[in-house]
Amino acid sequence: MKRYPYVILGCSIAAVAAIEGIRSQDKKGDILVVGEEPCRAYGRPLISYYLLAETDLPRMDYRPEKFYEENNVTLRLGVRAERIDPEEKTVALSDGEKFGYEKLLVATGSRPFDPPMEGIEHVKERFHFMTKADALALGKALSPEKKVLIVGAGLIGLKCFEGIAARVKSARIVDMADRILPAILDETGAKMVQSALEAHGAEFFLSDSVLRFEGNTAHLKSGKTVEFDLLVIAVGVRPNTELVKEAGGTVRRGIAVDECGRTSLPDIFAAGDCAESFDIASGTNRVLALLPNAAFQGRAAGVNMAGGKARLDNAVAFNSIGFFGTHVMTAGVYEGEEYCERTERTYKALFTKDGLLKGFILINLPERAGIYLKLLKERIPLSAVDFQALKTSPAWSAFSPEARAENFAREV
């Protein structure tokens, strides 16, 4: 049995960032990456753009193939990690192999959640929309005469709609929430984005849910029925925490880690969608299943695995996403005093509490969003800036000369 200095479970964005973190400290130690998917790490948000033909499979790769060779990484793809033994410091794989580790990173991501819906097992053409394989399978099934039902009006479901809208006869979206994107938008923002999606053919059934399926007919709680040819389940995801939990590690909603990425088990770290972060906006430990957070977590974990010192102490929920040219940026939590600006095409909502910016919603206002994010992530007191000016015209001139100089130094 071979023992590696570093073993990473999951060939993910967090894994790539961890490799880079390790190599910033240790240029030579062998790294083994075990991935359940039969492909190298890729940008999951790109799967809708693949269906739109705005990217192709090679360009979806998060790093080129030579990245792994140059960083002395052994890839074991298409195989699943089945068990961690923290006492022996070994990992058993689904193909019967076993490897030892000195430091282990669990970056196993998440999986789709399927709510109980009567008769769903009899729907022949049903899909998820999380992986490259999902996009490939759905793409093969699409045709101009097909009617699609998407269950879930969150980020995954709506990006799926964007990817398929021009390739099918109709697309209908059901969600039990009273608005689309309920996790990141308020009522005003949701209505604006919904209108943009409806202009491209989306039909929504909100405050509703599927009670049962009879063949290719969905019976909704409201009494309505929806006929479809293809079904996409995009209700949500569940963190893949079982490996750590079964090994005796602390697991809550996600794998519990400290600001350095360490779990409660010795020499075992976790990062990405399977792990929790301390959200500075909400003041709670929670899973922030977002690509930037996975990369930040992964790099910090990699640095610390290799004996360096790195902390992730400014994690925050941040989304930047577009739908047919409507661009949405959100961050933090929506509590405290609210400041709003709205035009026919744009929307801004800023939320302040205890002298700090706690969250924001920006629609079609990407300019200078970084300033608001800086205020939020660095917890800059609003008394230290000209916040009245920043409300309407975010610019560095609202910061003190010292803050402007510091930011300029960082950019250089």
Side-chain angles (χ1 to χ4, degrees):
M1 178 184 69
K2 183 169 181 177
R3 183 170 297 273
Y4 288 83
Y6 310 102
V7 173
I8 299 174
L9 305 182
C11 191
S12 59
I13 301 302
V16 169
I19 292 168
E20 293 172 339
I22 290 169
R23 286 292 175 250
S24 72
Q25 307 295 314
D26 179 350
K27 305 297 184 185
K28 297 182 178 180
D30 290 348
I31 302 172
L32 170 68
V33 174
V34 177
E36 187 170 356
E37 290 187 69
C39 55
R40 297 183 297 274
Y42 59 92
R44 290 189 188 276
L46 296 177
I47 64 175
S48 62
Y49 297 103
Y50 172 77
L51 292 182
L52 280 167
E54 292 184 1
T55 191
D56 54 30
L57 294 178
R59 285 187 291 167
M60 290 174 68
D61 283 352
Y62 194 59
R63 293 290 185 273
E65 185 174 1
K66 65 179 182 179
F67 168 83
Y68 303 94
E69 299 171 2
E70 291 172 351
N71 285 286
N72 191 24
V73 176
T74 300
L75 293 176
R76 291 281 284 107
L77 302 177
V79 63
R80 185 177 65 256
E82 299 247 312
R83 188 171 66 89
I84 299 170
D85 187 326
E87 294 186 1
E88 292 186 358
K89 299 184 74 170
T90 59
V91 177
L93 306 184
S94 56
D95 62 1
E97 285 199 69
K98 183 184 287 189
F99 297 96
Y101 65 84
E102 296 301 326
K103 304 289 184 181
L104 175 69
L105 174 66
V106 179
T108 47
S110 57
R111 63 186 181 277
F113 168 67
D114 288 342
M117 292 182 284
E118 181 183 342
I120 191 172
E121 67 275 10
H122 301 303
V123 178
K124 293 182 179 179
E125 292 202 89
R126 65 181 189 272
F127 306 85
H128 293 116
F129 197 68
M130 275 194 65
T131 68
K132 185 185 292 186
D134 291 337
L136 291 171
L138 180 58
K140 288 180 181 179
L142 298 175
S143 62
E145 71 278 2
K146 294 290 179 68
K147 295 177 290 186
V148 179
L149 172 61
I150 300 172
V151 179
L155 289 170
I156 295 173
L158 297 187
K159 289 306 289 185
C160 177
F161 168 74
E162 183 185 43
I164 70 173
R167 299 178 58 182
V168 297
K169 182 178 181 180
S170 67
R172 294 170 171 175
I173 305 168
V174 177
D175 200 293
M176 63 190 302
D178 63 355
R179 64 184 187 273
I180 68 170
L181 299 171
I184 68 169
L185 288 181
D186 60 7
E187 184 177 353
T188 300
K191 285 181 178 178
M192 291 183 69
V193 178
Q194 181 176 335
S195 295
L197 294 169
E198 288 172 338
H200 286 82
E203 183 179 356
F204 290 94
F205 297 81
L206 301 176
S207 299
D208 214 340
S209 58
V210 177
L211 285 181
R212 70 182 187 281
F213 292 99
E214 290 184 355
N216 280 26
T217 300
H219 294 266
L220 307 186
K221 184 179 179 180
S222 64
K224 298 174 182 177
T225 59
V226 178
E227 304 291 331
F228 63 91
D229 300 299
L230 308 176
L231 173 66
V232 179
I233 305 297
V235 175
V237 299
R238 293 291 182 269
N240 292 322
T241 61
E242 290 78 10
L243 285 169
V244 170
K245 184 176 182 179
E246 291 168 6
T250 301
V251 170
R252 296 184 287 255
R253 179 75 174 183
I255 300 168
V257 296
D258 64 14
E259 66 275 8
C260 298
R262 296 184 181 91
T263 71
S264 61
L265 298 171
D267 296 321
I268 298 180
F269 296 71
D273 293 3
C274 63
E276 293 182 345
S277 297
F278 181 74
D279 180 355
I280 62 168
S282 66
T284 61
N285 289 296
R286 64 192 188 106
V287 175
L288 298 174
L290 303 162
L291 188 152
N293 192 63
F296 295 146
Q297 274 192 310
R299 181 170 179 85
V303 169
N304 292 312
M305 289 168 72
K309 293 183 179 180
R311 294 165 60 94
L312 178 61
D313 55 7
N314 64 345
V316 69
F318 174 64
N319 292 276
S320 178
I321 192 166
F323 302 100
F324 302 108
T326 295
H327 196 69
V328 179
M329 300 183 78
T330 70
V333 295
Y334 310 148
E335 58 185 45
E337 184 178 346
E338 182 178 1
Y339 168 82
C340 292
E341 290 180 8
R342 183 179 177 183
T343 68
E344 183 177 352
R345 189 172 178 274
T346 66
Y347 178 58
K348 176 194 294 184
L350 307 177
F351 301 85
T352 58
K353 184 179 180 181
D354 300 327
L356 299 171
L357 181 66
K358 302 293 286 186
F360 61 79
I361 300 171
L362 303 175
I363 297 179
N364 292 328
L365 291 168
E367 309 87 11
R368 299 290 186 175
I371 290 180
Y372 292 135
L373 190 60
K374 178 182 178 69
L375 285 172
L376 201 163
K377 293 192 71 172
E378 297 185 15
R379 289 168 280 193
I380 296 174
L382 299 183
S383 60
V385 300
D386 185 350
F387 190 60
Q388 291 302 316
L390 286 175
K391 284 180 179 179
T392 55
S393 301
W396 288 113
S397 59
F399 287 74
S400 68
E402 294 78 13
R404 294 200 300 271
E406 179 185 356
N407 184 74
F408 178 76
R410 287 181 181 179
E411 291 183 348
V412 172

